[in-house]
Amino acid sequence: MSLLETDELEALSAHELHDRAVRYAVRHGDLAFLWELLKVIPAAEASAGNEGETVNDLSRVSALLSDAMASGEGELGEALRPFYIDYLSKHPEA
């Protein structure tokens, strides 16, 4: 991905990055990305100041699935921006 395209991704909100990355992954059956997202959510929760959520997320898979669908919102979405940008940079057609 070119610098201009990366700059364009950087300009998107966390919510837009989430929607674009998750929609692409679902549409293309990219379970590796979705699984990786589930794995990084607890760390993002902690960096967003939601330490209580970290413990819950690690113990409940259903919570992780729910978080994945809403992980483009608020502080969590902001904490996951680099993850979405990295993924979208590798899939410019998304």
Side-chain angles (χ1 to χ4, degrees), residues 3 5 25 35-36 38 41-42 57-58 65 69 74 82 85 90 92:
L3 182 57
E5 291 165 326
W35 182 246
E36 191 65 25
L38 294 176
I41 285 174
D57 287 348
L58 291 171
L65 292 172
M69 298 315 293
I85 288 170
K90 294 173 185 168

Side-chain angles (χ1 to χ4, degrees), residues 4-52:
L4 179 59
E5 291 165 326
T6 300
D7 288 344
E8 290 171 2
L9 290 174
E10 289 284 353
L12 296 175
S13 70
H15 182 79
E16 291 169 314
L17 289 166
H18 163 269
D19 286 355
R20 194 167 164 180
V22 170
R23 187 172 36 249
Y24 180 85
V26 168
R27 196 170 49 239
H28 289 88
D30 191 347
L31 297 178
F33 170 79
L34 295 171
W35 182 246
E36 191 65 25
L37 174 61
L38 294 176
K39 291 186 337 187
V40 300
I41 285 174
E45 289 278 16
S47 76
N50 301 323
E51 289 82 14

